[in-house]
Amino acid sequence: MELGQMQKSLQDYTKSLFVEGILDSQFLQLPQLQDESNSDFVSQVVSLFFQDSDRILNDLSLSLDQKVVDFEKVDPYVHQLKGSSSSIGAQRVKNACVVFRSFCEQKNVEACHRCLQQVKQEYYLVKNRLETLFKLEQQIVASGGMISAMDLGF
Amino acid sequence: MATTSTGDIEKTKSVEVKKKLNVLIVDDDPVIRKLHEIIIKSIGGISQTAKNGEEAVNIHRDGNASFDLILMDKEMPERDGLSATKKLREMKVTSMIIGVTTLADNEEERKAFMEAGLNHCLAKPLSKAKILPLINNLMDA
């Protein structure tokens, strides 16, 4: 595929993530913090989000599978996931965590199980989409192109 | 255990030696700690991190810690931001402390956090645009 076409594909793909609400404007703040001294900052922080979220979701699954659910343990996990997803602009994950927390407050085990599934669904979606986004960027760079600041044309 | 970014002392054109803004980032979320580290670096500061309020307090126990600014998350395990702020002020820590809250926190919760001894309160997620005016006021003071 020609470089110009790849760049257009990247632009369209990125735009779709915002149109679908998978990402919000916070994600656009991240490239602004990237410079020569930390040129892979965005992928670093997103990778950290993935690692941390995988751990939290695993811990959440274990906590909710206990015979007696300790919501003093469950709620902080959800709070943390809400915070980190918000920081990288993973809007739908964040929103799912907001709903999850409200059911934690009500100590509604069944609803929390449903919320966990929803959070996982949204998380795997954003993870998959961001991994695709970074692959597209790598292909452009490998072809000698540059990744410029996103012009989404809104 | 707190971690430290490397910093250096710079000489300005005048004889006076200027120190980079020295910041303690207190948050239980590693993603947010990383993000805030980069934000501070992007505005010319150096940072150290702590995973919760108890670590933040322990860093100050020997009396040698000297931060220009502390970014204090509100909800953390072991010791939350409100308790840590109160304790630091009892220990006569005079650093500017900016509380980092969430949009879900209500006015009463924010007020209680401020009254614990904060200088300012900002909502997550932080950005350069949010923090820079406060930093500039601090550097001018």
Side-chain angles (χ1 to χ4, degrees):
Chain A
M1 198 190 285
E2 189 245 321
L3 186 59
Q5 276 180 301
M6 281 197 276
Q7 284 167 327
K8 179 75 173 58
S9 293
L10 174 65
Q11 191 180 44
D12 290 343
Y13 189 78
T14 308
K15 188 173 177 176
S16 73
L17 298 182
F18 290 92
V19 167
E20 290 175 55
I22 294 171
L23 295 177
D24 63 27
S25 59
Q26 177 63 21
F27 185 76
L28 296 174
Q29 302 276 335
L30 303 181
Q32 293 178 32
L33 298 170
Q34 198 159 274
D35 60 24
E36 301 85 44
S37 65
N38 58 314
S39 56
D40 60 347
F41 163 67
V42 178
S43 65
Q44 261 187 43
V45 82
V46 171
S47 295
L48 191 53
F49 169 68
F50 291 158
Q51 281 167 34
D52 201 50
S53 300
D54 286 337
R55 176 188 60 81
I56 290 173
L57 288 171
N58 187 55
D59 289 344
L60 268 171
S61 295
L62 291 172
S63 299
L64 283 176
D65 280 342
Q66 299 302 306
K67 275 189 184 162
V68 178
V69 174
D70 183 356
F71 284 97
E72 302 287 307
K73 274 193 178 163
V74 173
D75 186 68
Y77 286 134
V78 185
H79 166 75
Q80 192 172 325
L81 187 55
K82 181 172 85 82
S84 56
S85 58
S86 173
S87 288
I88 69 144
Q91 183 174 239
R92 279 160 58 162
V93 177
K94 179 197 78 179
N95 291 343
C97 288
V98 169
V99 175
F100 196 159
R101 281 200 93 189
S102 69
F103 285 117
C104 285
E105 274 173 45
Q106 295 171 35
K107 296 187 173 20
N108 186 331
V109 176
E110 201 179 306
C112 283
H113 273 287
R114 285 197 301 271
C115 285
L116 177 60
Q117 293 316 308
Q118 184 64 27
V119 168
K120 280 182 175 177
Q121 193 175 304
E122 297 298 350
Y123 166 66
Y124 290 127
L125 178 64
V126 73
K127 185 175 183 185
N128 181 268
R129 295 293 184 92
L130 284 175
E131 283 173 343
T132 301
L133 180 76
F134 291 141
K135 274 194 191 130
L136 285 171
E137 288 183 347
Q138 280 164 12
Q139 281 168 8
I140 288 170
V141 170
S143 300
M146 286 187 58
I147 310 298
S148 58
M150 282 176 258
D151 175 18
L152 300 174
F154 283 90
Chain B
M1 188 71 181
T3 58
T4 311
S5 309
T6 55
D8 44 6
I9 309 285
E10 290 178 336
K11 281 201 172 165
T12 62
K13 286 181 180 169
S14 70
V15 177
E16 190 181 72
V17 173
K18 267 196 170 174
K19 196 161 85 83
K20 278 189 177 180
L21 189 72
N22 190 10
V23 182
L24 176 64
I25 296 164
V26 188
D27 203 300
D28 58 328
D29 187 338
V31 176
I32 292 174
R33 285 200 301 273
K34 179 79 179 174
L35 186 63
H36 291 176
E37 271 186 295
I38 297 297
I39 290 174
I40 295 303
K41 189 180 172 191
S42 73
I43 58 175
I46 56 174
S47 62
Q48 188 171 334
T49 62
K51 289 200 275 289
N52 54 56
E54 190 60 26
E55 269 194 30
V57 167
N58 287 339
I59 286 168
H60 287 84
R61 283 201 195 278
D62 64 2
N64 292 329
S66 171
F67 297 100
D68 301 299
L69 170 64
I70 299 173
L71 294 177
M72 182 76 75
D73 184 27
K74 187 167 156 284
E75 284 187 50
M76 293 178 286
E78 306 222 19
R79 191 193 281 264
D80 67 20
L82 203 146
S83 166
T85 303
K86 266 190 194 160
K87 184 67 184 172
L88 290 174
R89 292 308 190 205
E90 280 168 19
M91 292 163 70
K92 308 287 185 217
V93 170
T94 58
S95 314
M96 178 189 264
I97 305 180
I98 295 177
V100 183
T101 61
T102 69
L103 290 171
D105 291 326
N106 61 40
E107 198 47 50
E108 222 175 275
E109 286 166 332
R110 257 181 240 123
K111 193 175 168 221
F113 200 7
M114 283 294 301
E115 284 172 357
L118 298 181
N119 297 93
H120 297 283
C121 216
L122 290 174
K124 273 185 208 190
L126 292 188
S127 63
K128 273 170 78 168
K130 279 185 188 174
I131 203 167
L132 213 42
L134 297 179
I135 301 285
N136 286 338
N137 285 342
L138 175 66
M139 296 305 276
D140 288 343

